[in-house]
């Protein structure tokens, strides 16, 4: 590269140097700055460097001068602080819907938002290899296609897969298409993250109802030319409310239930059902909760985890179904003589 061109890029290289080699705990001297610029064929004098630093400060970079045994300069703050970057790394590496390969690529990019010293601290958090991760590499791009369809207000088509058992082959668990390979066509409205999986919330105009799909089980997603349906339904749709009602993203009949919990379970009830449910006192040791939920095996499983700390008060049909499920499990494990 011609020297006069690199000279014009002096401020850009200087900005890059501060982002990569300085932070709250690490500064650089003027000589180190000059040596760095010389390595990139940019000549610099001490006096000009002072002026360049002032220009970057006026531009908005939080560069400060520190005096100790030697005078150093450091970038004190940046767009993301180290604790925020650690949160981003934790979110990426704990997400099952992102493959191990993509997780490592994303974490590397997050590291570039920090100095080389803080980047090493982020590397110590990387424990992706032992996590259960999705095997669908395309999910990273599927979400982007879905978002584009949502922004454009268009329907999408896709194939939907499930895991099946096949004991007649060497591979006992195989990936098969649902509905005998039928192409799904739905109206996408939102994406949500639930139980460490990505789900598409959509409207099915054939069944005229809201449905959800695991994004990592979707393939060959195409944006249709058809405008999406479901505008009336989604005008009053609340994603947070929907997520609270649908346990483990398993749909079912929507029912308003009245439950009685032991007082010590108030925390887990709030975590699951939210703070806007109706709560009243039952007695000195328990309380009532009235909430709308979608009945599913996951809902009953959630209740079962509390043992005798919970009771279904109403409606009776829900209490009866819960009783039948418990009796069915008990029968399975009973030892008949």
């Amino acid at each position: 590269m011609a020297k006069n061109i690199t000279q014009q890029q002096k401020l850009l290289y200087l900005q890059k140097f501060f982002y990569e080699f300085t932070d709250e705990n690490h500064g650089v001297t003027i000589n180190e700055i000059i040596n760095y610029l010389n390595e990139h064929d940019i000549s610099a004098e001490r006096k000009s460097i002072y002026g360049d630093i002032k220009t970057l400060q006026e531009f908005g970079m939080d560069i400060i001068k520190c005096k100790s045994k030697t005078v150093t300069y450091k970038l004190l703050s940046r767009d993301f602080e180290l604790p925020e970057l650690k949160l981003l790394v934790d979110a990426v590496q704990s997400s099952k819907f992102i493959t191990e390969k993509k997780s490592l690529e994303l974490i590397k990019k997050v590291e570039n938002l920090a100095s080389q010293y803080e980047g090493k601290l982020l590397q110590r958090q990387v424990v992706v290899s032992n996590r259960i991760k999705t095997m669908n590499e395309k999910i990273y791009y599927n979400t982007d296609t879905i978002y584009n369809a949502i922004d454009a207000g268009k329907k999408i088509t896709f194939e939907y897969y499930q895991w099946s058992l096949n004991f007649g082959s060497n591979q006992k668990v195989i990936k098969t298409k649902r509905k005998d390979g039928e192409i799904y066509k739905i109206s996408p409205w939102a994406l949500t993250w639930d139980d460490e999986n990505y789900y598409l919330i959509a409207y099915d105009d054939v069944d005229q109802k809201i449905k959800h799909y695991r994004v990592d089980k979707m393939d060959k997603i195409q944006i249709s030319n058809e405008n999406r349906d479901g505008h009336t339904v989604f005008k009053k749709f609340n994603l947070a409310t929907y997520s609270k009602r649908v346990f483990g993203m398993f749909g079912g009949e929507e029912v308003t239930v009245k439950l009685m919990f032991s007082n010590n379970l108030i925390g887990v009830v709030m975590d699951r059902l939210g703070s806007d449910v109706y709560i009243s006192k039952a007695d000195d040791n328990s309380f009532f909760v009235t909430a709308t939920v979608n009945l599913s095996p996951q809902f009953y499983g959630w209740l079962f985890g509390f043992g005798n700390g919970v009771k279904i008060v109403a409606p009776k049909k829900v209490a009866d179904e819960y009783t039948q499920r418990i009796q069915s499990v008990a029968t399975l494990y009973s030892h008949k003589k």
Side-chain angles (χ1 to χ4, degrees), residues 65-217:
K65 179 180 180 181
C66 301
K67 295 181 179 179
S68 54
K69 293 182 180 180
T70 58
V71 177
T72 60
Y73 295 82
K74 64 177 68 172
L75 181 61
L76 192 61
S77 62
R78 55 190 73 214
D79 291 340
F80 292 94
E81 297 178 3
L82 184 59
E84 294 172 328
L85 295 178
K86 288 181 177 179
L87 285 176
L88 292 176
V89 169
D90 285 342
V92 169
Q93 67 184 20
S94 63
S95 302
K96 291 194 297 184
F97 66 83
I98 306 178
T99 64
E100 181 177 339
K101 178 184 175 183
K102 282 299 178 185
S103 293
L104 293 173
E105 290 177 359
L106 282 173
I107 290 171
K108 186 63 179 178
K109 291 179 180 179
V110 172
E111 289 175 14
N112 292 333
L113 297 174
S115 69
Q116 64 172 2
Y117 311 104
E118 292 181 337
K120 292 179 180 178
L121 297 177
L122 294 175
Q123 290 174 7
R124 295 193 184 103
Q125 288 192 273
V126 180
V127 286
V128 173
S129 58
N130 291 327
R131 300 286 182 114
I132 298 174
K133 308 290 281 186
T134 180
M135 289 178 280
N136 187 354
E137 182 72 25
K138 294 181 180 179
I139 187 175
Y140 194 71
Y141 305 101
N142 285 350
T143 54
D144 188 51
T145 302
I146 293 171
Y147 273 124
N148 289 337
I150 292 173
D151 291 338
K154 300 293 184 179
K155 293 182 180 181
I156 62 171
T157 61
F158 58 93
E159 293 178 351
Y160 203 45
Y161 289 83
Q162 64 186 358
W163 292 108
S164 301
L165 291 172
N166 185 354
F167 292 107
S169 65
N170 293 330
Q171 187 179 11
K172 294 184 178 180
V173 180
I174 60 174
K175 190 178 180 182
T176 59
K177 296 179 183 179
R178 286 194 175 185
K179 294 185 178 180
D180 296 322
E182 177 185 334
I183 299 297
Y184 287 65
K185 179 184 284 188
I186 51 88
S187 299
W189 281 91
L191 283 165
T192 186
W193 190 0
D194 186 273
D195 193 26
E196 298 188 46
N197 288 304
Y198 231 152
Y199 290 88
L200 166 64
I201 309 299
Y203 182 77
D204 187 325
D205 61 310
V206 176
D207 293 340
Q208 296 186 347
K209 62 187 295 187
I210 295 174
K211 294 183 179 181
H212 48 261
Y213 305 86
R214 279 254 310 253
V215 178
D216 60 306
K217 293 183 178 181

Side-chain angles (χ1 to χ4, degrees), residues 245-261:
R245 291 179 180 178
V246 182
F247 284 72
M249 298 308 289
F250 276 78
E253 179 187 358
E254 187 176 288
V255 176
T256 298
V257 296
K258 184 175 183 180
L259 309 170
M260 184 171 71
F261 288 92

Side-chain angles (χ1 to χ4, degrees), residues 30-46:
I30 294 295
N31 285 337
E32 288 173 328
I33 295 174
I34 293 175
N35 291 335
Y36 173 80
L37 293 174
N38 287 337
E39 290 174 0
H40 293 82
D41 297 324
I42 300 173
S43 60
E45 299 176 352
R46 298 181 68 90

